[in-house]
Amino acid sequence: MTARIIDGRAFAATVRERVAQHVSLLKQEHGVTPGLAVVLVGEDPASQVYVRSKGKQTVDVGMNSYEHRLAADTTETELLGLIQQLNVDPAVHGILVQLPLPAHLNEALVINAIDAAKDVDGFHISNVGRLATGQKAMVPCTPLGCLMMLREYCGDLSGLNAVVIGRSNIVGKPMAQLLLKDSCTVTVAHSRTRNLPEVLKGADIIVAAVGRPGFVLGEWIKPGATVIDVGINRIEQGDAKARLVGDVDFDSAREIAGAITPVPGGVGPMTIACLLANTVTACCRAHALPEPVGLVA
Ligand code: NDP
């Protein structure tokens, strides 16, 4: 069997289109334009690329984008002051502080200073608790994107066996919570898990978020399983441009799986699309309007 390739670029374009339609409806029928504020501290080159891309995509779907670029030596007091301003600004529905922050800034303190209702990254402790207890939450973008793809390709997830490999706060744990919310039987594997191939044997769904190139082998996968590869690993190639590969050994996995996300072009493009989706959701909630269909967890 050769797996269906789950085209994350095409699916992300569909999500952006749904967002754009909802933004247009909010503007026309309610006179509201969703706004996303992105805060970047310092000059990390990768972060600058992400922030630029987020700003462009925000504007492309018809939302307002507010970029705040602060010097690398910005103090915690200054940063918290800006967050406080954004928290009370009615034009701002989503606030994202680009991570990582320079070492002198306390990430947890900064993230938890964001109004939880505007926390479109879903990292605020109250959103983490809300997700864990099955309440309405802002959900981290990468796992939300994985969930959307799984729902699209598997339909009803209820009763399926899902194994999430990785237990980080930004991917593994929220992914497991989302799958549990959709009534999967969920196993979370990590570096201390014994005999991972045995654990994977019964998995209808595998979500790999490990950070190790080609770690999951085709022979570990149950025939027909759906495989979501979150990993983004740079393989340096001497003078040539670095190559990106996932946490799954794509060539062997595609022969066994029923459907699989490639890297690049799988989960990656969904992350920013879900940030836009979260901003529309936050805007709807702020104005007590119905939430956008197909864009929430
Ligand atoms: P972390 O390093 O925070 O977590 C990695 C997890 O993998 C840990 O829980 C670790 O276990 C587990 N792990 C490590 N080795 C093994 C092993 N041998 N067997 C089983 N589990 C193992 O990474 P992230 O969750 O932040 O990211 C994971 C990957 O996803 C990375 O490649 C990252 O670049 C990518 N990523 C992609 C995004 C996207 O937009 N597509 C967004 C975010 C991340 P333990 O807890 O025991 O140490």
Side-chain angles (χ1 to χ4, degrees):
M1 175 197 289
T2 302
R4 266 191 310 160
I5 306 299
I6 302 175
D7 185 343
R9 286 195 186 102
F11 195 47
T14 305
V15 171
R16 286 195 300 273
E17 184 52 39
R18 281 182 204 158
V19 169
Q21 280 169 8
H22 211 81
V23 169
S24 163
L25 184 135
L26 285 170
K27 284 179 174 174
Q28 282 168 22
E29 295 193 4
H30 304 283
V32 179
T33 304
L36 172 64
V38 177
V39 180
L40 173 63
V41 186
E43 270 136 37
D44 178 62
S47 293
Q48 288 186 336
V49 173
Y50 290 136
V51 167
R52 210 174 303 130
S53 178
K54 284 168 186 171
K56 183 183 177 307
Q57 293 193 35
T58 303
V59 172
D60 284 350
V61 294
M63 302 200 290
N64 289 328
S65 166
Y66 308 99
E67 270 182 38
H68 296 268
R69 291 169 183 265
L70 307 182
D73 61 357
T74 297
T75 65
E76 210 158 77
T77 309
E78 288 167 334
L79 179 55
L80 292 176
L82 172 61
I83 290 174
Q84 196 43 41
Q85 270 178 40
L86 298 172
N87 280 346
V88 296
D89 185 341
V92 172
H93 303 96
I95 302 169
L96 179 144
V97 176
Q98 184 66 43
L99 301 178
L101 287 171
H104 68 282
L105 298 170
N106 179 335
E107 255 176 37
L109 186 82
V110 169
I111 295 304
N112 290 326
I114 297 172
D115 177 351
K118 297 188 177 186
D119 166 41
V120 280
D121 248 347
F123 295 158
H124 190 291
I125 193 76
S126 116
N127 281 317
V128 175
R130 284 174 162 272
L131 178 61
T133 51
Q135 296 176 61
K136 213 175 248 190
M138 296 309 301
V139 173
C141 302
T142 300
L144 177 58
C146 297
L147 180 76
M148 284 184 188
M149 291 198 283
L150 284 166
R151 283 179 176 165
E152 181 82 9
Y153 282 83
C154 303
D156 182 10
L157 305 183
S158 174
L160 296 180
N161 290 328
V163 177
V164 179
I165 317 175
R167 56 174 164 179
S168 71
N169 290 334
I170 62 165
V171 189
K173 281 184 199 149
M175 187 73 245
Q177 299 287 3
L178 288 171
L179 291 167
L180 201 53
K181 194 162 166 281
D182 268 26
S183 296
C184 290
T185 303
V186 183
T187 304
V188 181
H190 45 77
S191 67
R192 308 290 178 91
T193 296
R194 292 189 189 153
N195 202 351
L196 183 60
E198 190 62 32
V199 174
L200 292 178
K201 243 183 182 171
D204 304 302
I205 292 169
I206 297 173
V207 180
V210 189
R212 288 172 158 232
F215 175 70
V216 177
L217 303 179
E219 65 202 56
W220 299 356
I221 297 170
K222 175 177 154 181
T226 302
V227 179
I228 305 291
D229 189 351
V230 182
I232 300 178
N233 307 288
R234 287 172 67 84
I235 305 291
E236 298 301 335
Q237 307 190 102
D239 289 343
K241 204 173 158 217
R243 197 164 58 93
L244 292 185
V245 301
D247 289 341
V248 177
D249 179 40
F250 186 78
D251 289 339
S252 63
R254 73 181 302 184
E255 297 305 322
I256 311 287
I260 185 168
T261 58
V263 178
V267 174
M270 287 296 289
T271 298
I272 298 184
C274 286
L275 174 68
L276 305 177
N278 275 349
T279 305
V280 175
T281 302
C283 177
C284 292
R285 288 179 184 168
H287 291 272
L289 295 169
E291 291 180 4
V293 176
L295 296 177
V296 284

